[in-house]
Amino acid sequence: MGTADFARVITGTAFHTPARDRLEVLEDHAFVLDATGTITQMLPAGDARRTELVEAARSRGVLEELPKGSFLIPGLVDLHIHAPQWPQLGKALDAPLEVWLHKYTFPMEARFADTAFAAEVYDEMVATLLAHGTTTAVYFGSVEVEPNLVLAEACLRHGQRALIGKVAMDDPDNCPPYYRDDSAQAGLDATRRFITELRQMAGEDPLVLPVVTPRFIPSCSDELLAGLGALAKELDCHVQTHCSESDWEVGHVAARLAQTDCEALSGHGLLTERTVLAHSNFITEDDMGLLCAHGSAVAHCPMSNAYFANAVFPLRQALERGVKVGLGTDISGGFSPSLFDAARHALMASRHAASGTDPSLPPEARGPGSRPLSTVETFWLATASGGAALDLPIGQFAPGYRFDALAIEANAPGSGFRHYAALDAPEDCFEKLVLTADRGAIARIWVDGTPRLD
């Protein structure tokens, strides 16, 4: 590549986890980006080509140099957010899932039929999530088409990578009359229209993609589920839904279909290599085999699981089986907009699951003896594994990947992320970053190589 064949060069030290068990410290690298924000080269300090390229970028005004004490990390990938639940973030978590939906959530989501209200909320929500480091968000929208297009406009305006789904739900026994698709066919027609209009809005090389989104099996008729599976295949779309989230939900599916969620979703063509299943706390060994066979992924949502699941997701077992897993905040079932928080809750949940919780038992009998998450694995779930779950070139630093990244500043006023150069090796700094970085430490954000929130 000649010095004219680049659009931007960013220099600094970076951390990333390209594999579940591997941290790479990219000390003083130059990241060379093309016009699409794709990484074309990564040049370490000793590379003979680096000096000429950096000087050429400086002369053209397209060089960004991280100051000492700042570190690059891949942007965070949140696999599960309910956009129309944003106004109730941090409240209304006092009831079981089936009660919570009807008492709080469906009435809130129905308000987004007012597109002016949707525009106000979504503009602030997208900006806030970006500011917390979520460069890629996978959104459940609401039932109507128009507010979901408003959400897409907000993501495009702020420059957040997003996957957005018009929620499909038609079962009159589990959906209120004021908030559902009038019929299975109406739900399918509206989903098709949303996908078509979003793709027209997003254009070529889209930053925002559509997702086929049955809410979950209890809210959908068999006709709607089968139709959505066929539609996802016809229109080549991602799929998202909830799976095996709570005792009530698992019991409902078993009583209605005499199957597990995974078996039913597979039968309706909704398990694909671009399917993301939220929660999945109660999946069986056979379910894990199905997920691996289809290449489908789980969005692990530890914050909301603590409220609604009544069980801990078998994360270590799923990872060892080869199931693709990433992280989700599950706003507003989860109470924080920060995927850093979701990662830390995943780490803690895995430690509780591994060691057990009954102090009356001796240590050797208290837990199953499984290995808890490491810090490296936790970060991998929030970045590279989330990108793999979506089958998108994001979540790590490598040629051919999009430059979605955060600059994390150590020792920023008010931030908990403290770095002492004389005391902290690079691996220590990484561990501190994963466990203590917060909104105050995020100094810079890029999506597709373009600075955001400047």
Side-chain angles (χ1 to χ4, degrees):
M1 171 179 283
T3 58
D5 301 327
F6 62 86
R8 188 183 299 270
V9 176
I10 299 166
T11 65
T13 293
F15 299 117
H16 77 150
T17 48
R20 173 159 60 104
D21 58 353
R22 188 169 85 248
L23 166 66
E24 289 185 357
V25 182
L26 306 173
E27 293 198 58
D28 195 18
H29 273 54
F31 298 87
V32 185
L33 314 182
D34 68 14
T36 69
T38 300
I39 300 170
T40 58
Q41 295 185 82
M42 294 164 47
L43 306 178
D47 193 294
R49 299 165 293 172
R50 176 183 164 127
T51 299
E52 179 185 2
L53 188 139
V54 166
E55 289 306 314
R58 192 191 314 278
S59 68
R60 288 166 47 185
V62 293
L63 175 67
E64 297 182 63
E65 298 175 282
L66 261 66
K68 188 176 181 179
S70 289
F71 305 91
L72 283 170
I73 64 170
L76 305 177
V77 181
D78 191 333
L79 292 181
H80 187 52
I81 300 170
H82 288 273
Q85 294 176 23
W86 179 254
Q88 66 187 35
L89 182 69
K91 70 175 186 179
L93 292 172
D94 64 340
L97 176 64
E98 64 275 21
V99 176
W100 180 79
L101 287 170
H102 288 270
K103 183 177 179 181
Y104 301 115
T105 301
F106 290 155
M108 173 57 69
E109 292 190 11
R111 290 196 60 182
F112 283 77
D114 177 352
T115 54
F117 175 72
E120 179 182 0
V121 171
Y122 288 156
D123 185 75
E124 188 266 337
M125 178 194 71
V126 172
T128 300
L129 290 173
L130 258 179
H132 279 83
T134 300
T135 55
T136 297
V138 183
Y139 290 114
F140 271 60
S142 53
V143 171
E144 299 84 1
V145 169
E146 287 72 18
N148 299 309
L149 296 173
V150 169
L151 173 57
E153 289 170 349
C155 294
L156 291 169
R157 183 167 58 254
H158 288 287
Q160 183 185 55
R161 190 181 308 282
L163 294 87
I164 300 172
K166 171 243 171 305
V167 169
M169 43 193 285
D170 71 328
D171 190 326
D173 293 332
N174 290 291
C175 305
Y178 63 84
Y179 189 62
R180 67 175 184 237
D181 293 300
D182 291 336
S183 66
Q185 190 59 52
L188 294 171
D189 291 345
T191 298
R192 181 185 293 275
R193 180 164 74 88
F194 169 71
I195 292 168
T196 300
E197 294 188 20
L198 176 56
R199 284 177 167 169
Q200 291 171 348
M201 177 190 301
E204 297 182 10
D205 192 19
L207 192 64
V208 179
L209 298 170
V211 193
V212 169
T213 307
R215 188 177 199 108
F216 64 166
I217 291 174
S219 68
C220 298
S221 66
D222 290 351
E223 181 184 356
L224 180 59
L225 292 169
L228 291 171
L231 195 62
K233 182 177 181 179
E234 175 193 345
L235 299 182
D236 191 25
C237 280
H238 287 77
V239 176
Q240 64 177 343
T241 190
H242 297 87
C243 175
S244 299
E245 179 177 1
S246 69
D247 288 303
W248 165 78
E249 191 269 344
V250 169
H252 176 98
V253 175
R256 172 177 147 190
L257 300 174
Q259 292 180 306
T260 67
D261 286 45
C262 289
E263 290 168 341
L265 293 169
S266 177
H268 289 303
L270 290 164
L271 292 188
T272 75
E273 64 180 8
R274 291 193 296 167
T275 292
V276 176
L277 303 176
H279 307 292
S280 305
N281 289 62
F282 294 88
I283 56 174
T284 66
E285 284 280 350
D286 288 344
D287 290 337
M288 291 184 192
L290 268 178
L291 297 184
C292 290
H294 288 287
S296 302
V298 171
H300 176 35
C301 304
M303 288 186 288
S304 60
N305 287 349
Y307 283 93
F308 296 130
N310 305 320
V312 177
F313 173 63
L315 178 58
R316 176 60 64 194
Q317 185 180 356
L319 292 177
E320 296 301 334
R321 282 293 303 271
V323 177
K324 294 191 292 187
V325 183
L327 295 179
T329 56
D330 193 21
I331 293 166
S332 68
F335 51 80
S336 171
S338 169
L339 202 70
F340 279 125
D341 283 348
R344 292 158 194 159
H345 279 267
L347 187 62
M348 291 299 100
S350 78
R351 298 190 72 83
H352 295 320
S355 61
T357 60
D358 187 349
S360 68
L361 298 175
E364 64 274 10
R366 198 173 296 150
S370 60
R371 184 163 49 94
L373 275 183
S374 68
T375 308
V376 168
E377 289 175 309
T378 303
F379 187 78
W380 171 78
L381 287 171
T383 54
S385 192
L390 298 174
D391 194 28
L392 294 176
I394 57 174
Q396 59 180 291
F397 298 122
Y401 278 69
R402 296 302 179 97
F403 192 82
D404 292 4
L406 311 177
I408 306 296
E409 179 184 355
N411 306 323
S415 171
F417 175 41
R418 318 312 290 174
H419 172 52
Y420 299 90
L423 300 176
D424 298 332
E427 292 77 12
D428 299 323
C429 184
F430 169 78
E431 185 173 17
K432 283 186 165 187
L433 187 157
V434 174
L435 296 179
T436 68
D438 48 26
R439 169 66 187 90
I442 300 174
R444 203 91 161 111
I445 300 167
W446 297 264
V447 178
D448 270 352
T450 300
R452 308 297 183 184
L453 295 178
D454 287 350

